[in-house]
Amino acid sequence: MSLPAEARRQRSDRLAVALLTFGLAFLLTASAWWVSTELGRARALRESIHNSYQQLIEIQKAFSLVQDAETGTRGYVISGRDEFLGPYTRAVAALPAANARLEKLFAGEPDQLRLVHLYEDLSRQKLALLANGIETRRIEGLAGVERDAARSQGTSPGRVVMDHIRAVVTQLTNNEEREIQSSLTRDRARTTRTELIVLTLFGSLFLGAAAAIVLARRYLAARGHLVRAAEAEARRQRALVDAAMDGIFVLNSAGRIDRANPASARIFHSKPGELAGARMSELIDESALTEIETQRKAGADAIRLETIGKRRDGSTFTAELSIAGMGEAAARDYVVFVRDISARRELEQLKEEFVSTVSHELRTPLTSIAGSLGLIVGQAAGPVPDKAMRLIAIAQANSQRLVRLINDVLDVEKLDAGKLPFQFMPLDLASIAQRAIDGVQGYADQLHVNLRLALAEPTPVRGDTDRLVQVVTNLLSNAAKFSPEGGTVTVLVTREGEQAVLTVSDKGPGVPEAFRDRIFSRFAQADSSDARGKSGTGLGLYIAKEIAERHGGRLWFESPEGGGTSFHLGLPLQTDASGPGLRDRVLLVEDEPAAAALLMTILESDGFKVDAAATLKDARKAMEDPGKFGAVVLDLRLPDGDGLDLARDLRSRPETRGIPIIVVSADAARGKDPAVRMLDVADWMEKPVDPDRLADLVRRAIGPVGENAPRILHIDDDRDIRELVAQALASVGEVISVEGLVQARASLKERRPDVVVLDLELRDGPGLDFLEDLNAGPGTPIPVVVFSAQDTGDLGGSVAAVLVKSKTSLTGLAGAVRSLVRPALGVKTGTAE
């Protein structure tokens, strides 16, 4: 063969190889595209079939809910027992979500969607008919149901609607089954075509085997690397958990421990592995389990509480638990962190004991020392040489300084612990300013500083008299201390919008720039040479700021560069809408609209003004102004919690502790629980309510007003005590305050009181002498509450209660007097029917 021919053949072979390679590549590419397309269509078809089956399932679920509701209703109508309503209640709650899922599933099918909408309308009609049947059975009994059935004459609207629902469900089901059969037919045809193309491409798979092997090896190598990394991360996490000082264990949905770290075994005095399989009830107090379950049902993702831990050896310890959920709500596990805080609690106990020691063992002798030195300075024990007098005066001043320091430290401790008592009542901020000026006047005279109340507008606020006087006294004493000799401290009481503002201004050197950021901190004192020579604890302004904020106000200052300082105390004004005169305004807490409308009508027809709240959140918001309401009518089953939680909140706050609470609920039997009785509920009423009895209970709980108000005679020779007691008892009845036995006897002759509050030490004789006057008159003995500085113990049947002034708050006094007034009016307290 000639060279040209060989060259032509080689060229032809190369061209054939190129064409073959190109053809194979094209064939593989086209085949791959076709297979990918077919697989995509197959996936889409399978998804369509799956969706059709899902639609069938959802149709049956929704239909089952209607059937469950009908079954539950039928059981309740026949038996009248509420437990039969469980399927109905669950169906009513779940049906909206089921309908929403149907709409979502059929969103792309207009014909089916129209049937879904028809089914939703029919299901709502059916539920409405079932609700009417339940209401008829609840109100009129079985006779009412039978009457309605007789009226329908065999053509029950509920049956007709149910037949329509079945017809719609059947049509929906048939449509979906036809669609499934059609999809299956198309799937079989497509599968056959796919098999043919796969057989055609079988020979080409050999060429891809090498690439597949390479890819497989790369995949396995990458997977091995990921597995090793995951194992390393798991080891690190396990090491962190095992090294943790807090106990950590996983609690499964059955309430048993799956895994626990070594610290858990150490905290509970168990051997490693012993906690696995244990129940939480074996490790913590039952009350904590109840609280955990309550918070879990309320939807809390994380729970934190303190409880008592129980060890295997029978000992207990104070534990802090932190619980967080893992996984889906249907089968959720929980990770539990346990910390032994017994040592912390012991330190807090030691701290409380130290504070108690300072309060009782140090303050008392210091007070005696300061008082004795004061008597010596006043020459009550005879003349004292001038040289000794100077030394005694120094000792007296420093003992008084120690007393102030101890009082400030105790106040700070009580503020931090939330135990500093506050007795909120309506008052005038201008009178607070005047009382504080009167108290500081002697100290200002020693410093040769003038105190002047330049402007005092009437500024009604709500607050604690003693604590506000303490704030203003601190501001005045600071201003006097830093004022130049002969200077003047000016006090202004004004209104600024919805705020009452008390301003104390001086002409002293002002507040140093470096000290301004920490002026309200604990033990804060300026470092300048002028300030360093002034005595003080550095706690006064911190306490004043805390008290102002507890009143819903604020404390701030202004100090210009030229000298002088103005401190401002701002408090919310007490408006007429929240004043004590609105005792006839009632807060009604009821979530059911029909019941709320009925109760509101009952109360308003009896002259009460009613504010309604449907949730605990709304009720708590309404009670932010506690002086607005004279009573609370409360349902227990509310959408966002238990109504008794609101009662506990009200009883825990001094300003709302005395508000009467009347429970109106289908669960009134809970009032027999001893723990619930501690809430001092005025009365319990079972639904449905008696309108006359409800209005009477609210009126009695609030107490009569005007001429029918109980008359309380208070005898005390201290003007300030009489004023405070009159304000504390203003919501209980009409208070008649007198300063001695002569006025008390004259008042007794004029009108017989319902209760007497008596001090034992009076200027014109012992208070016990007045008991003879009370017992000498005809009629039922008048109850007497002894409210005195003396702890006299039991005085026998002639006295209903003995309260010591230094140990009893004004709220406690008001509660004691109210308990004596209510029985006279026929009001029961704290017990369920």
Side-chain angles (χ1 to χ4, degrees):
M1 183 179 293
S2 62
L3 290 176
E6 182 64 23
R8 288 195 297 270
R9 187 178 66 83
Q10 289 181 351
R11 287 196 297 271
S12 298
D13 291 342
R14 287 196 295 270
L15 180 60
V17 170
L19 290 175
L20 179 62
T21 304
F22 177 79
L24 287 175
F26 175 79
L27 179 62
L28 287 173
T29 304
S31 299
W33 173 83
W34 190 88
V35 169
S36 175
T37 302
E38 288 297 310
L39 290 176
R41 291 174 180 174
R43 282 195 298 271
L45 187 58
R46 285 194 294 273
E47 289 178 0
S48 175
I49 295 173
H50 173 76
N51 290 338
S52 295
Y53 279 115
Q54 187 66 31
Q55 289 166 343
L56 286 175
I57 292 171
E58 290 299 331
I59 290 169
Q60 292 303 319
K61 284 183 178 179
F63 183 55
S64 297
L65 289 175
V66 177
Q67 290 179 316
D68 291 344
E70 184 179 40
T71 301
T73 303
R74 186 179 299 114
Y76 173 76
V77 169
I78 293 172
S79 65
R81 294 167 58 185
D82 288 343
E83 55 265 35
F84 282 95
L85 288 177
Y88 169 80
T89 304
R90 290 190 292 273
V92 170
L95 195 56
N99 290 340
R101 289 194 296 272
L102 284 177
E103 288 194 11
K104 184 177 180 180
L105 287 172
F106 289 102
E109 304 177 33
D111 294 337
Q112 291 288 79
L113 187 58
R114 282 194 294 273
L115 290 175
V116 169
H117 289 161
L118 178 58
Y119 167 78
E120 291 176 353
D121 293 338
L122 291 171
S123 64
R124 282 193 288 269
Q125 294 177 27
K126 180 62 177 177
L127 291 183
L129 291 172
L130 293 178
N132 290 335
I134 293 171
E135 188 67 18
T136 301
R137 180 62 173 86
R138 181 175 286 122
I139 296 175
E140 300 179 21
L142 192 57
V145 177
E146 292 174 349
R147 185 198 63 223
D148 292 347
R151 289 177 180 175
S152 65
Q153 298 180 353
T155 57
S156 169
R159 185 176 302 169
V160 172
V161 173
M162 198 64 185
D163 290 341
H164 288 169
I165 291 176
R166 288 193 180 94
V168 172
V169 170
T170 300
Q171 188 173 356
L172 283 169
T173 303
N174 292 338
N175 292 342
E176 288 306 314
E177 288 178 349
R178 285 195 296 270
E179 180 64 25
I180 290 173
Q181 290 301 323
S182 175
S183 299
L184 290 174
T185 301
R186 293 195 303 272
D187 184 60
R188 283 192 292 271
R190 184 168 286 109
T191 300
T192 301
R193 290 194 301 271
T194 303
E195 289 174 352
L196 292 174
I197 195 65
V198 168
L199 290 175
T200 304
L201 295 174
F202 185 75
S204 304
L205 293 178
F206 292 102
L207 298 176
I213 292 173
V214 172
L215 291 174
R217 292 186 62 181
R218 290 178 59 186
Y219 166 75
L220 291 175
R223 184 175 180 276
H225 175 73
L226 291 175
V227 169
R228 289 190 296 274
E231 290 176 347
E233 181 63 23
R235 286 194 298 271
R236 284 193 293 270
Q237 292 183 359
R238 190 179 300 112
L240 289 173
V241 172
D242 292 345
M245 298 300 294
D246 292 341
I248 303 173
F249 52 82
V250 176
L251 193 69
N252 61 30
S253 57
R256 292 186 179 275
I257 296 175
D258 282 345
R259 296 183 298 276
N261 70 338
S264 299
R266 183 173 64 253
I267 291 174
F268 287 98
H269 292 183
S270 300
K271 296 179 180 179
E274 280 188 350
L275 292 179
R279 289 189 175 275
M280 278 290 287
S281 57
E282 302 173 16
L283 304 179
I284 64 173
D285 189 67
E286 292 289 343
S287 61
L289 292 175
T290 303
E291 177 65 20
I292 292 170
E293 184 65 17
T294 300
Q295 295 193 36
R296 187 186 66 79
K297 289 181 177 179
D301 293 330
I303 302 170
R304 186 169 184 175
L305 52 85
E306 289 187 12
T307 184
I308 300 299
K310 298 182 290 188
R311 296 189 174 105
R312 293 297 178 93
D313 58 5
S315 62
T316 60
F317 65 97
T318 305
E320 183 179 76
L321 300 184
S322 298
I323 304 173
M326 301 186 302
E328 298 296 331
R332 174 170 291 188
D333 290 348
Y334 294 88
V335 59
V336 181
F337 299 84
V338 183
R339 177 173 295 177
D340 185 351
I341 58 173
S342 301
R344 186 202 306 173
R345 289 291 174 261
E346 290 176 1
L347 289 175
E348 292 177 355
Q349 181 64 29
L350 290 173
K351 180 181 178 182
E352 291 179 0
E353 292 175 357
F354 171 74
V355 171
S356 177
T357 300
V358 170
S359 177
H360 295 90
E361 304 300 331
L362 187 58
R363 184 165 57 178
T364 298
L366 274 176
T367 303
S368 300
I369 292 171
S372 299
L373 291 172
L375 292 174
I376 295 174
V377 170
Q379 298 188 356
V384 179
D386 292 342
K387 190 173 183 179
M389 181 65 76
R390 287 193 297 273
L391 297 175
I392 293 172
I394 294 172
Q396 181 196 20
N398 283 278
S399 64
Q400 292 174 344
R401 180 183 177 188
L402 277 175
V403 170
R404 289 194 299 271
L405 174 60
I406 292 171
N407 288 336
D408 286 347
V409 170
L410 293 177
D411 282 347
V412 168
E413 172 60 27
K414 291 177 181 178
L415 280 168
D416 292 344
K419 297 180 180 178
L420 190 66
F422 288 87
Q423 306 297 330
F424 290 90
M425 61 186 67
L427 48 86
D428 187 357
L429 191 58
S431 66
I432 296 294
Q434 188 58 58
R435 287 185 58 176
I437 289 173
D438 294 341
V440 181
Q441 189 64 60
Y443 177 68
D445 292 342
Q446 295 177 11
L447 298 175
H448 305 290
V449 173
N450 300 316
L451 303 180
R452 184 169 67 94
L453 183 59
L455 178 62
E457 297 181 13
T459 47
V461 297
R462 187 173 181 82
D464 185 305
T465 301
D466 292 338
R467 297 303 173 190
L468 291 179
V469 169
Q470 180 180 358
V471 172
V472 182
T473 297
N474 181 276
L475 299 180
L476 288 171
S477 60
N478 275 352
K481 180 168 60 177
F482 288 98
S483 292
E485 187 171 340
T488 299
V489 175
T490 304
V491 181
L492 303 174
V493 182
T494 59
R495 294 185 181 211
E496 295 183 6
E498 298 298 322
Q499 186 176 228
V501 179
L502 184 147
T503 301
V504 177
S505 302
D506 64 68
K507 299 299 181 182
V511 180
E513 185 68 31
F515 180 60
R516 296 185 179 190
D517 291 340
R518 55 191 180 90
I519 189 171
F520 293 114
S521 303
R522 300 186 191 184
F523 301 103
Q525 290 182 309
D527 296 329
S528 65
S529 58
D530 292 338
R532 197 179 297 121
K534 312 292 185 181
S535 62
T537 64
L539 292 172
L541 288 177
Y542 169 78
I543 295 172
K545 182 176 182 292
E546 289 291 320
I547 292 175
E549 291 177 353
R550 299 292 174 90
H551 282 73
R554 64 190 186 105
L555 183 66
W556 73 100
F557 72 95
E558 297 173 342
S559 184
E561 294 183 0
T565 305
S566 295
F567 278 87
H568 307 282
L569 170 64
L571 298 173
L573 277 171
Q574 179 81 7
T575 62
D576 293 339
S578 60
L582 292 181
R583 293 175 58 201
D584 285 352
R585 184 173 290 277
V586 177
L587 176 62
L588 172 63
V589 187
E590 170 65 63
D591 65 318
E592 187 176 347
L598 175 62
L599 296 175
M600 186 176 295
T601 301
I602 293 171
L603 295 171
E604 288 179 344
S605 64
D606 202 63
F608 294 100
K609 300 177 181 67
V610 182
D611 288 1
T615 63
L616 286 178
K617 180 180 179 181
D618 294 340
R620 289 188 173 106
K621 185 175 181 180
M623 291 306 299
E624 290 177 356
D625 186 2
K628 185 176 181 180
F629 302 103
V632 176
V633 177
L634 177 65
D635 187 15
L636 298 185
R637 297 180 180 178
L638 298 171
D640 55 345
D642 188 353
L644 289 182
D645 291 341
L646 176 64
R648 294 186 183 96
D649 291 346
L650 298 180
R651 292 296 179 254
S652 66
R653 295 162 53 193
E655 63 270 26
T656 59
R657 190 170 296 148
I659 293 180
I661 301 173
I662 298 95
V663 171
V664 178
S665 174
D667 197 14
R670 293 177 63 186
K672 297 178 181 178
D673 187 343
V676 175
R677 292 182 184 178
M678 300 295 291
L679 297 176
D680 188 25
V681 173
D683 216 314
W684 298 72
M685 287 193 68
E686 190 86 29
K687 290 183 177 179
V689 300
D690 180 349
D692 294 334
R693 183 166 177 265
L694 174 61
D696 184 57
L697 283 177
V698 176
R699 178 64 67 191
R700 290 181 179 181
I702 293 177
V705 295
E707 296 180 355
N708 296 322
R711 184 182 176 90
I712 304 166
L713 178 61
H714 177 215
I715 311 167
D716 198 303
D717 57 4
D718 189 308
R719 178 180 62 85
D720 292 337
I721 294 295
R722 291 200 305 273
E723 179 182 345
L724 294 175
V725 169
Q727 292 178 347
L729 301 182
S731 62
V732 182
E734 178 188 1
V735 181
I736 308 300
S737 300
V738 298
E739 63 179 355
L741 295 178
V742 175
Q743 295 180 0
R745 291 180 177 124
S747 177
L748 183 62
K749 291 180 180 179
E750 179 182 349
R751 181 180 172 187
R752 181 181 173 85
D754 296 293
V755 178
V756 173
V757 180
L758 177 65
D759 188 11
L760 297 182
E761 294 183 354
L762 303 171
R763 291 191 180 94
D764 55 353
L768 290 177
D769 290 350
F770 190 61
L771 295 179
E772 300 177 359
D773 297 89
L774 295 175
N775 296 328
T780 305
I782 301 173
V784 177
V785 176
V786 170
F787 188 53
S788 177
Q790 300 180 17
D791 190 354
T792 59
D794 188 7
L795 293 176
S798 59
V799 173
V802 177
L803 306 178
V804 182
K805 290 180 178 178
S806 60
K807 299 179 180 179
T808 305
S809 65
L810 293 175
T811 302
L813 172 64
V817 174
R818 185 179 286 108
S819 66
L820 295 175
V821 170
R822 281 182 176 174
L825 299 171
V827 177
K828 297 176 289 184
T829 59
T831 59
E833 293 181 326

